mmCIF file with all atom_site columns, all heavy atoms in Angstrom:
data_model
loop_
_atom_site.group_PDB
_atom_site.id
_atom_site.type_symbol
_atom_site.label_atom_id
_atom_site.label_alt_id
_atom_site.label_comp_id
_atom_site.label_asym_id
_atom_site.label_entity_id
_atom_site.label_seq_id
_atom_site.pdbx_PDB_ins_code
_atom_site.Cartn_x
_atom_site.Cartn_y
_atom_site.Cartn_z
_atom_site.occupancy
_atom_site.B_iso_or_equiv
_atom_site.pdbx_formal_charge
_atom_site.auth_seq_id
_atom_site.auth_comp_id
_atom_site.auth_asym_id
_atom_site.auth_atom_id
_atom_site.pdbx_PDB_model_num
ATOM 1  N N   . VAL J 1 101 ? 20.987 37.880 -12.292 1.00 0.00 ? 123 VAL J N   1
ATOM 2  C CA  . VAL J 1 101 ? 21.048 38.306 -13.688 1.00 0.00 ? 123 VAL J CA  1
ATOM 3  C C   . VAL J 1 101 ? 21.567 39.736 -13.738 1.00 0.00 ? 123 VAL J C   1
ATOM 4  O O   . VAL J 1 101 ? 21.148 40.581 -12.934 1.00 0.00 ? 123 VAL J O   1
ATOM 5  C CB  . VAL J 1 101 ? 19.652 38.226 -14.346 1.00 0.00 ? 123 VAL J CB  1
ATOM 6  C CG1 . VAL J 1 101 ? 19.685 38.757 -15.771 1.00 0.00 ? 123 VAL J CG1 1
ATOM 7  C CG2 . VAL J 1 101 ? 19.133 36.792 -14.307 1.00 0.00 ? 123 VAL J CG2 1
ATOM 8  N N   . VAL J 1 102 ? 22.482 40.017 -14.661 1.00 0.00 ? 124 VAL J N   1
ATOM 9  C CA  . VAL J 1 102 ? 22.978 41.385 -14.827 1.00 0.00 ? 124 VAL J CA  1
ATOM 10 C C   . VAL J 1 102 ? 22.795 41.822 -16.277 1.00 0.00 ? 124 VAL J C   1
ATOM 11 O O   . VAL J 1 102 ? 22.625 40.991 -17.175 1.00 0.00 ? 124 VAL J O   1
ATOM 12 C CB  . VAL J 1 102 ? 24.461 41.513 -14.421 1.00 0.00 ? 124 VAL J CB  1
ATOM 13 C CG1 . VAL J 1 102 ? 24.641 41.272 -12.930 1.00 0.00 ? 124 VAL J CG1 1
ATOM 14 C CG2 . VAL J 1 102 ? 25.342 40.573 -15.232 1.00 0.00 ? 124 VAL J CG2 1
ATOM 15 N N   . THR J 1 103 ? 22.838 43.125 -16.496 1.00 0.00 ? 125 THR J N   1
ATOM 16 C CA  . THR J 1 103 ? 22.742 43.661 -17.851 1.00 0.00 ? 125 THR J CA  1
ATOM 17 C C   . THR J 1 103 ? 24.088 44.239 -18.263 1.00 0.00 ? 125 THR J C   1
ATOM 18 O O   . THR J 1 103 ? 24.800 44.843 -17.451 1.00 0.00 ? 125 THR J O   1
ATOM 19 C CB  . THR J 1 103 ? 21.660 44.747 -17.942 1.00 0.00 ? 125 THR J CB  1
ATOM 20 O OG1 . THR J 1 103 ? 21.866 45.715 -16.905 1.00 0.00 ? 125 THR J OG1 1
ATOM 21 C CG2 . THR J 1 103 ? 20.277 44.154 -17.828 1.00 0.00 ? 125 THR J CG2 1
ATOM 22 N N   . GLY J 1 104 ? 24.438 44.040 -19.515 1.00 0.00 ? 126 GLY J N   1
ATOM 23 C CA  . GLY J 1 104 ? 25.717 44.521 -20.025 1.00 0.00 ? 126 GLY J CA  1
ATOM 24 C C   . GLY J 1 104 ? 25.786 44.328 -21.525 1.00 0.00 ? 126 GLY J C   1
ATOM 25 O O   . GLY J 1 104 ? 24.788 44.461 -22.229 1.00 0.00 ? 126 GLY J O   1
ATOM 26 N N   . GLU J 1 105 ? 26.953 43.971 -22.004 1.00 0.00 ? 127 GLU J N   1
ATOM 27 C CA  . GLU J 1 105 ? 27.177 43.744 -23.432 1.00 0.00 ? 127 GLU J CA  1
ATOM 28 C C   . GLU J 1 105 ? 27.435 42.255 -23.668 1.00 0.00 ? 127 GLU J C   1
ATOM 29 O O   . GLU J 1 105 ? 28.283 41.653 -23.001 1.00 0.00 ? 127 GLU J O   1
ATOM 30 C CB  . GLU J 1 105 ? 28.356 44.571 -23.928 1.00 0.00 ? 127 GLU J CB  1
ATOM 31 C CG  . GLU J 1 105 ? 28.106 46.078 -23.892 1.00 0.00 ? 127 GLU J CG  1
ATOM 32 C CD  . GLU J 1 105 ? 27.009 46.491 -24.870 1.00 0.00 ? 127 GLU J CD  1
ATOM 33 O OE1 . GLU J 1 105 ? 27.261 46.496 -26.086 1.00 0.00 ? 127 GLU J OE1 1
ATOM 34 O OE2 . GLU J 1 105 ? 25.886 46.807 -24.404 1.00 0.00 ? 127 GLU J OE2 1
ATOM 35 N N   . VAL J 1 106 ? 26.728 41.677 -24.643 1.00 0.00 ? 128 VAL J N   1
ATOM 36 C CA  . VAL J 1 106 ? 26.792 40.242 -24.897 1.00 0.00 ? 128 VAL J CA  1
ATOM 37 C C   . VAL J 1 106 ? 27.357 40.001 -26.299 1.00 0.00 ? 128 VAL J C   1
ATOM 38 O O   . VAL J 1 106 ? 26.829 40.524 -27.285 1.00 0.00 ? 128 VAL J O   1
ATOM 39 C CB  . VAL J 1 106 ? 25.401 39.587 -24.774 1.00 0.00 ? 128 VAL J CB  1
ATOM 40 C CG1 . VAL J 1 106 ? 25.504 38.082 -25.002 1.00 0.00 ? 128 VAL J CG1 1
ATOM 41 C CG2 . VAL J 1 106 ? 24.800 39.883 -23.399 1.00 0.00 ? 128 VAL J CG2 1
ATOM 42 N N   . TRP J 1 107 ? 28.410 39.207 -26.369 1.00 0.00 ? 129 TRP J N   1
ATOM 43 C CA  . TRP J 1 107 ? 29.061 38.889 -27.637 1.00 0.00 ? 129 TRP J CA  1
ATOM 44 C C   . TRP J 1 107 ? 29.159 37.376 -27.815 1.00 0.00 ? 129 TRP J C   1
ATOM 45 O O   . TRP J 1 107 ? 29.397 36.641 -26.856 1.00 0.00 ? 129 TRP J O   1
ATOM 46 C CB  . TRP J 1 107 ? 30.463 39.497 -27.686 1.00 0.00 ? 129 TRP J CB  1
ATOM 47 C CG  . TRP J 1 107 ? 30.458 40.984 -27.873 1.00 0.00 ? 129 TRP J CG  1
ATOM 48 C CD1 . TRP J 1 107 ? 30.237 41.937 -26.905 1.00 0.00 ? 129 TRP J CD1 1
ATOM 49 C CD2 . TRP J 1 107 ? 30.655 41.692 -29.097 1.00 0.00 ? 129 TRP J CD2 1
ATOM 50 N NE1 . TRP J 1 107 ? 30.296 43.183 -27.454 1.00 0.00 ? 129 TRP J NE1 1
ATOM 51 C CE2 . TRP J 1 107 ? 30.550 43.075 -28.805 1.00 0.00 ? 129 TRP J CE2 1
ATOM 52 C CE3 . TRP J 1 107 ? 30.923 41.296 -30.408 1.00 0.00 ? 129 TRP J CE3 1
ATOM 53 C CZ2 . TRP J 1 107 ? 30.708 44.060 -29.782 1.00 0.00 ? 129 TRP J CZ2 1
ATOM 54 C CZ3 . TRP J 1 107 ? 31.078 42.275 -31.375 1.00 0.00 ? 129 TRP J CZ3 1
ATOM 55 C CH2 . TRP J 1 107 ? 30.967 43.643 -31.069 1.00 0.00 ? 129 TRP J CH2 1
ATOM 56 N N   . VAL J 1 108 ? 28.986 36.932 -29.049 1.00 0.00 ? 130 VAL J N   1
ATOM 57 C CA  . VAL J 1 108 ? 29.119 35.518 -29.401 1.00 0.00 ? 130 VAL J CA  1
ATOM 58 C C   . VAL J 1 108 ? 30.570 35.228 -29.783 1.00 0.00 ? 130 VAL J C   1
ATOM 59 O O   . VAL J 1 108 ? 31.194 36.003 -30.525 1.00 0.00 ? 130 VAL J O   1
ATOM 60 C CB  . VAL J 1 108 ? 28.189 35.155 -30.576 1.00 0.00 ? 130 VAL J CB  1
ATOM 61 C CG1 . VAL J 1 108 ? 28.398 33.709 -31.000 1.00 0.00 ? 130 VAL J CG1 1
ATOM 62 C CG2 . VAL J 1 108 ? 26.740 35.407 -30.197 1.00 0.00 ? 130 VAL J CG2 1
ATOM 63 N N   . CYS J 1 109 ? 31.103 34.123 -29.301 1.00 0.00 ? 131 CYS J N   1
ATOM 64 C CA  . CYS J 1 109 ? 32.449 33.670 -29.653 1.00 0.00 ? 131 CYS J CA  1
ATOM 65 C C   . CYS J 1 109 ? 32.311 32.410 -30.508 1.00 0.00 ? 131 CYS J C   1
ATOM 66 O O   . CYS J 1 109 ? 32.080 31.311 -29.992 1.00 0.00 ? 131 CYS J O   1
ATOM 67 C CB  . CYS J 1 109 ? 33.263 33.351 -28.406 1.00 0.00 ? 131 CYS J CB  1
ATOM 68 S SG  . CYS J 1 109 ? 33.515 34.778 -27.320 1.00 0.00 ? 131 CYS J SG  1
ATOM 69 N N   . ALA J 1 110 ? 32.450 32.566 -31.818 1.00 0.00 ? 132 ALA J N   1
ATOM 70 C CA  . ALA J 1 110 ? 32.214 31.477 -32.757 1.00 0.00 ? 132 ALA J CA  1
ATOM 71 C C   . ALA J 1 110 ? 33.501 31.094 -33.475 1.00 0.00 ? 132 ALA J C   1
ATOM 72 O O   . ALA J 1 110 ? 34.477 31.833 -33.473 1.00 0.00 ? 132 ALA J O   1
ATOM 73 C CB  . ALA J 1 110 ? 31.139 31.892 -33.772 1.00 0.00 ? 132 ALA J CB  1
ATOM 74 N N   . GLY J 1 111 ? 33.461 29.909 -34.130 1.00 0.00 ? 133 GLY J N   1
ATOM 75 C CA  . GLY J 1 111 ? 34.608 29.493 -34.919 1.00 0.00 ? 133 GLY J CA  1
ATOM 76 C C   . GLY J 1 111 ? 35.073 28.098 -34.601 1.00 0.00 ? 133 GLY J C   1
ATOM 77 O O   . GLY J 1 111 ? 34.300 27.232 -34.191 1.00 0.00 ? 133 GLY J O   1
#
Side-chain angles (χ1 to χ4, degrees):
V123 176
V124 294
T125 51
E127 294 294 286
V128 182
W129 287 80
V130 176
C131 298

